[in-house]
Amino acid sequence: MPRVVIVHGYGASPNANWFPWLAETLKEREIACDVPNMPDSVSPKREAWLAHLRATIGEDPSDTILVGHSLGCIAILRYLEALSSGVRACGAILVAGFDGPVGYPDVDAFAEPPIDHAKVRASVREGFLVAHSETDPVVPLARGEALREHLDARFLRISDGEHLNMGSRGDFTFPELVEEIERMFSSARA
C-alpha cells in the first residue's frame, strides 16, 4: 500500500505547519501517512532521529515516499544513505532542505561527515523533488539549488514562501506536494 512519511524539522512537531493538512489530504486519497514525532526536536541527535525513522518506516521502504521539512530533509538523506544496497524507497520530497552545514550547531551535526550523494540517489526509485523559497531566511535558496544539483532532483522554486512553514505560507496547505506524491506513485506503478 502506498505510504508517505513526513519528517518535521528543528523545533517542530507533527501538528505544525502544513503537515496535518498534507496527512489528511493523503488519507482522503487512500494514501497512508505517518508523521512521527521526532525525538527532542529542540536538541536533535542524529542517531536518535535515524533510529526513530527506521522504527517508523520498517524494513521495506519500497512503497514509501519520504517528505521532509528543513532538518527533516537531511535526516531523510542520512536514512537513505544508510539503507542496504538494493533497498530503495519510492521517492523523496525535500522542502526547505540542505545537505551541508547551515550555521546552527545542533543542525550542522547532521551534516558531518559529508553526504554520499551517489548512495542517496541509488536509494530511491522515482527520484527527488526539492522545494525551496527564494526568500528563505533560514536556509538560503542557494542551498536548495545545490541540493537539487547533488541529487539530480526536480526543483520547485517558490517566489515568496520564506522557510515554507506556517509563519510564511499562512494558508497551511501545500498542494504542489500532493501533485508530486501522486506523480511518483503513478510512475512507480507504470
Side-chain angles (χ1 to χ4, degrees):
M1 176 177 184
R3 179 171 86 150
V4 171
V5 175
I6 303 170
V7 184
H8 67 73
Y10 181 86
S13 75
N15 298 317
N17 305 322
W18 37 266
F19 314 143
W21 172 84
L22 181 57
E24 185 59 34
T25 301
L26 294 174
K27 287 176 185 173
E28 289 170 3
R29 294 168 190 236
E30 299 183 0
I31 298 172
C33 186
D34 295 313
V35 190
N37 191 17
M38 301 306 288
D40 200 5
S41 72
V42 295
S43 184
K45 304 294 184 251
R46 182 171 68 194
E47 289 312 313
W49 276 44
L50 291 178
H52 198 68
L53 279 179
R54 285 189 294 271
T56 299
I57 297 166
E59 297 294 317
D60 182 9
S62 62
D63 290 332
T64 302
I65 293 174
L66 304 167
V67 177
H69 178 257
S70 196
L71 178 62
C73 296
I74 198 162
I76 288 171
L77 296 177
R78 289 295 182 194
Y79 167 81
L80 293 170
E81 183 180 50
L83 289 175
S84 299
S85 180
V87 176
R88 299 189 304 169
C90 182
I93 298 173
L94 309 172
V95 177
F98 53 93
D99 59 359
V102 290
Y104 300 94
D106 283 342
V107 172
D108 288 351
F110 281 68
E112 295 299 332
I115 297 283
D116 181 344
H117 294 100
K119 175 94 168 77
V120 171
R121 285 191 305 272
S123 296
V124 297
R125 285 190 329 275
E126 301 304 322
F128 297 86
L129 173 74
V130 171
H132 215 95
S133 170
E134 295 174 353
T135 58
D136 192 326
V138 179
V139 181
L141 177 63
R143 300 309 299 269
E145 290 171 331
L147 183 59
R148 181 215 54 81
E149 184 176 320
H150 295 153
L151 297 175
D152 192 26
R154 293 170 24 94
F155 193 70
L156 174 61
R157 184 183 192 127
I158 297 170
S159 62
D160 190 25
E162 296 183 30
H163 195 48
L164 299 174
N165 56 14
M166 69 180 181
S168 59
R169 289 284 291 221
D171 58 5
F172 306 102
T173 66
F174 211 153
E176 301 94 335
L177 300 188
V178 177
E179 293 169 14
E180 182 63 15
I181 289 165
E182 289 179 331
R183 187 199 69 75
M184 284 181 175
F185 280 136
S186 177
S187 179
R189 286 189 297 268

